[in-house]
Amino acid sequence: MKLYHLDHTSPVGILRLVASENGLCAVLWNCELSEHPRLPETTENTHHPTLQQAAKELDEYFAKQRKKFTIPLDPIGTPFQLKVWQALRTIPYGETRSYGEQARMIGAPNAARAVGAANGKNPISIIVPCHRVIGKNGSLTGFGGGLHTKQKLLQLEGILWV
């Protein structure tokens, strides 16, 4: 599979957008670039239509003009991971869920830890909103872009965090 990338500047840092011919495969944080084993080598393509659409939709999200992403996705993962990531896409803008709630969403109520592990491997940050999943007690938990960035994204969506 041939993959293309575009480095996009955002309010939370440079994001590497990665696409196949079928859709967006990844939104990677700068700190993930050297250690992302799930993706084959990519070729820079600043004119790829999927990458252009992803950049536009992310800009609209950060400008509070977009609450739902419409870009076609092509994530690479196991069947369980794909199920977990699909459940993430159903969490509405401005709302959060716990890992246990997400596990119940996929019909695996005892799999909160496995869901957390799958969320940690979510390759399409922000667009597949793993930042909307928090600890059972309401605490912020791990996030590829860092907890400060997770807090920033939740605040952008109107969820106040002190």
Side-chain angles (χ1 to χ4, degrees):
M1 167 188 339
K2 185 87 170 135
L3 297 179
Y4 307 93
H5 76 265
L6 165 70
D7 291 337
H8 183 67
T9 302
S10 80
V12 292
I14 296 173
L15 301 172
R16 175 158 289 180
L17 310 178
V18 180
S20 68
E21 293 306 324
N22 298 319
L24 189 68
C25 299
V27 175
L28 303 174
W29 304 98
N30 202 29
C31 60
E32 295 178 305
L33 296 181
S34 63
E35 58 187 54
H36 208 281
R38 296 181 298 280
L39 294 175
E41 191 172 322
T42 64
T43 303
E44 185 173 23
N45 184 340
T46 58
H47 302 292
H48 192 286
T50 299
L51 297 174
Q52 288 294 312
Q53 181 182 351
K56 179 181 182 288
E57 289 190 16
L58 283 165
D59 287 345
E60 291 168 350
Y61 169 81
F62 286 115
K64 296 185 178 185
Q65 298 169 342
R66 175 174 292 277
K67 293 183 178 184
K68 273 190 124 169
F69 292 94
T70 60
I71 186 152
L73 302 181
D74 188 21
I76 300 167
T78 68
F80 180 77
Q81 289 170 336
L82 294 172
K83 189 175 187 179
V84 168
W85 301 336
Q86 183 58 41
L88 285 171
R89 296 183 67 204
T90 68
I91 302 172
Y93 179 97
E95 294 185 22
T96 60
R97 300 289 184 272
S98 70
Y99 293 98
E101 289 171 320
Q102 187 184 3
R104 287 188 288 283
M105 289 167 63
I106 65 166
N110 297 320
R113 285 181 184 227
V115 163
N119 283 354
K121 293 184 187 285
N122 171 23
I124 309 177
S125 292
I126 305 170
I127 292 172
V128 176
C130 53
H131 63 277
R132 294 181 189 152
V133 181
I134 58 175
K136 180 168 80 170
N137 63 359
S139 63
L140 293 184
T141 56
F143 184 65
L147 291 182
H148 176 72
T149 302
K150 183 172 188 166
Q151 180 178 3
K152 225 174 156 175
L153 293 171
L154 292 172
Q155 286 174 331
L156 174 82
E157 295 185 17
I159 301 169
L160 300 178
W161 229 275
V162 180

